[in-house]
Amino acid sequence: MTIGDVASSLQLSVKSVRRFVASGELPSEKVGSTYRISQKDFNEFVEARKYKASIQPQLKEHNLFGEEYVISDKKVSRSRTDYVNWADIRPYWDNPGESTMTFVDLFCGAGGLSKGLEMAGLEGICGLDWFDEAGQTYRRNFRHPFVNGDIKSPEKKQEFYDTVSRQLNGRHLGIVAGGFPCQGFSMAGNRIVDDPRNSLYKELLEIVAHLQPDFVICENVKGLRSMLGGKVEQKILSDFSEIGYAMNVTTLCAADYYTPQKRERVIFIGNRIGMRNYHPRPILNPSEYITVGQTIADLMNHPEDPDFNHVPTVHSETMRKRIMECPEGQSIYKGYSDAWKKSPWNEPSCTIKENHGGVNVHPRLPRVLTAREMARLQSFPDDFIFEGKKAKQLIQIGNAVPCLLGKAIGLSVRYSNNDFEKE
């Protein structure tokens, strides 16, 4: 089929079809100077459109399924068009109030997302993770239970189910949230095959199907969107659709929500109760972003304090000199693009990573960042204390969802659930 054939068949404009081809949503092959679409790809595209229409029934007769938002993905040679409903969460940011909505957090780590959801007024029911030190941190900072163990273990899974049931005590579960590992997706021919490393993702699906929450929140690295040419993302949407959840997905930047860090994450939000899925509309413009200097300047002369997770690393004189000579925005080692990097003082930080603290360099002092400084850049409050040895603390912080990004996501889900009085 030509682009004109597709446009005529679907009663779309040629321009709209070209947009779907350019985004990769409608696969095609270039033959000479024209594009050709196979009948199989056309049929799959039509089915995908029907699914998206089910997300927004009231928009079914239109060519869009929500407000268009084009984002640039440096790892993909083309721009990607997402269909996103944006919630203005600013009226609820400072005083969200308490919600009756409940949540569980899978792969929760130290609890960055859990903390953010609590900041949004949601009630935590249970966290689950295998990382012992993260579990110690979670238990210290939250009042609800934490199950420590392998999610693949039938015994641990049953312990989790029993804990959730006991905590809910007859109430309904509002949200299952989880940032599942994305390794292990692989292809055989033109389809994604089963891979043992995908077991954690499959466990997430199984738990959602078992608990039947109203909403699902999935968080992952931005690179997931380009994995296997976008087929991983399509599989996730399809898998959740099969268990009854219509999903919207886009990439959010933590700096847009008062986090002093340019951390981008792909966020899937879905529900099974026929509501419109909303993502949080950015609150800040880039000129308003919170900077590194604003966030950690007061810690420059703060005394060493293990109880506050503020223990500066002692470097050799050679390393101290190398750090001080490194310009802001660059790495102290050639060949690294985002490791041992010195974030600009007057801008948000680059992405905070774990790697035992060796990837985030202080902009003004001859050392790497302390755990507390990293936690600040991840928008953890100062009374959130991390357990374990310093290296384990850094791993927990680097792997966490920024709390204020989690808060923004939580508010948008409450908005989706008509939890606020909307003007």
Side-chain angles (χ1 to χ4, degrees):
M1 302 174 70
T2 65
I3 285 178
D5 294 335
V6 173
S8 176
S9 178
L10 298 179
Q11 296 183 335
L12 297 173
S13 68
V14 170
K15 182 177 180 181
S16 294
V17 177
R18 289 189 184 278
R19 184 186 66 222
F20 290 125
V21 169
S23 69
E25 191 171 349
L26 176 58
S28 65
E29 291 186 11
K30 193 170 184 180
V31 180
S33 60
T34 63
Y35 288 90
R36 299 286 180 171
I37 297 92
S38 71
Q39 189 66 47
K40 176 178 177 295
D41 287 333
F42 172 78
N43 292 339
E44 291 180 355
F45 174 72
V46 170
E47 289 303 311
R49 283 178 60 80
K50 288 179 181 178
Y51 158 68
K52 286 183 176 179
S54 71
I55 298 175
Q56 307 289 347
Q58 66 273 35
L59 297 175
K60 188 171 182 179
E61 62 189 40
H62 299 286
N63 291 333
L64 299 178
F65 307 95
E67 181 180 341
E68 277 191 39
Y69 178 48
V70 180
I71 61 172
S72 174
D73 188 338
K74 293 180 180 178
K75 294 185 178 181
V76 182
S77 60
R78 55 183 179 267
S79 65
R80 182 193 301 272
T81 302
D82 292 336
Y83 299 93
V84 186
N85 302 298
W86 294 109
D88 183 3
I89 60 173
R90 291 173 298 176
Y92 321 109
W93 185 263
D94 292 331
N95 297 293
E98 295 299 318
S99 173
T100 59
M101 293 186 73
T102 55
F103 72 88
V104 297
D105 191 356
L106 309 179
F107 318 107
C108 63
L113 180 56
S114 288
K115 187 64 178 178
L117 295 178
E118 283 195 347
M119 289 175 171
L122 301 165
E123 180 186 349
I125 295 298
C126 187
L128 185 150
D129 202 279
W130 64 273
F131 188 3
D132 291 340
E133 287 80 2
Q136 296 168 23
T137 296
Y138 200 97
R139 289 190 177 101
R140 173 170 183 157
N141 291 281
F142 296 97
R143 289 180 290 181
H144 58 265
F146 171 85
V147 173
N148 189 189
D150 186 351
I151 197 173
K152 301 189 299 296
S153 162
E155 294 78 16
K156 281 297 174 182
K157 191 181 298 182
Q158 190 59 51
E159 179 186 347
F160 173 72
Y161 288 150
D162 291 344
T163 303
V164 171
S165 177
R166 184 171 59 252
Q167 288 294 111
L168 287 172
N169 193 26
R171 293 178 298 162
H172 186 65
L173 181 61
I175 303 167
V176 168
F180 61 89
C182 62
Q183 299 89 348
F185 290 103
S186 56
M187 297 287 290
N190 194 39
R191 56 185 290 273
I192 298 177
V193 300
D194 290 335
D195 188 309
R197 293 172 297 170
N198 280 341
S199 57
L200 295 179
Y201 164 68
K202 293 175 183 176
E203 296 292 347
L204 169 63
L205 280 171
E206 179 184 320
I207 288 173
V208 170
H210 178 85
L211 294 178
Q212 289 287 290
D214 290 339
F215 288 84
V216 177
I217 300 170
C218 296
E219 176 269 347
N220 221 295
V221 296
K222 180 182 175 183
L224 176 143
R225 309 204 69 182
S226 57
M227 288 179 64
L228 306 181
K231 292 187 182 295
V232 169
E233 180 178 305
Q234 293 172 18
K235 175 175 174 56
I236 292 169
L237 295 174
S238 175
D239 287 345
F240 275 98
S241 177
E242 287 181 3
I243 62 172
Y245 289 83
M247 281 192 143
N248 292 69
V249 56
T250 196
T251 303
L252 300 180
C253 178
D256 291 336
Y257 313 99
Y258 296 102
T259 301
Q261 182 186 170
K262 295 177 182 177
R263 191 186 193 100
E264 291 185 301
R265 285 296 184 268
V266 56
I267 305 297
F268 297 80
I269 296 177
N271 79 87
R272 66 177 183 87
I273 56 175
M275 307 299 282
R276 180 183 293 191
N277 297 314
Y278 283 93
H279 282 76
R281 184 183 296 278
I283 297 175
L284 301 180
N285 296 316
S287 62
E288 302 171 312
Y289 283 169
I290 309 301
T291 69
V292 172
Q294 290 173 302
T295 306
I296 65 171
D298 65 303
L299 296 177
M300 290 180 66
N301 297 314
H302 195 288
E304 180 175 319
D305 186 353
D307 293 335
F308 187 51
N309 305 130
H310 186 65
V311 180
T313 300
V314 179
H315 300 284
S316 68
E317 189 58 36
T318 300
M319 176 60 77
R320 289 164 58 89
K321 183 173 183 293
R322 170 174 264 169
I323 289 175
M324 293 305 290
E325 291 176 349
C326 178
E328 291 185 2
Q330 296 186 24
S331 170
I332 66 174
Y333 291 112
K334 292 182 179 179
Y336 287 92
S337 60
D338 203 25
W340 288 93
K341 191 171 182 179
K342 180 184 287 189
S343 292
W345 185 254
N346 292 317
E347 295 180 16
S349 169
C350 63
T351 299
I352 294 296
K353 298 182 178 180
E354 46 97 357
N355 199 21
H356 311 295
V359 294
N360 298 102
V361 177
H362 198 290
R364 295 287 173 87
L365 298 177
R367 60 170 174 79
V368 295
L369 298 178
T370 66
R372 178 52 51 191
E373 288 164 338
M374 289 174 60
R376 286 262 188 100
L377 296 176
Q378 283 276 58
S379 66
F380 280 97
D382 280 352
D383 62 357
F384 196 104
I385 304 301
F386 296 86
E387 296 286 352
K389 295 181 179 179
K390 181 180 175 181
K392 299 295 186 180
Q393 295 171 15
L394 298 176
I395 293 173
Q396 295 172 54
I397 296 168
N399 285 337
V401 176
C403 300
L404 293 184
L405 176 59
K407 178 181 179 179
I409 294 167
L411 290 176
S412 69
V413 172
R414 289 186 63 182
Y415 192 97
S416 300
N417 198 46
N418 291 326
D419 221 21
F420 299 117
E421 290 187 9
K422 302 171 187 176
E423 297 181 359

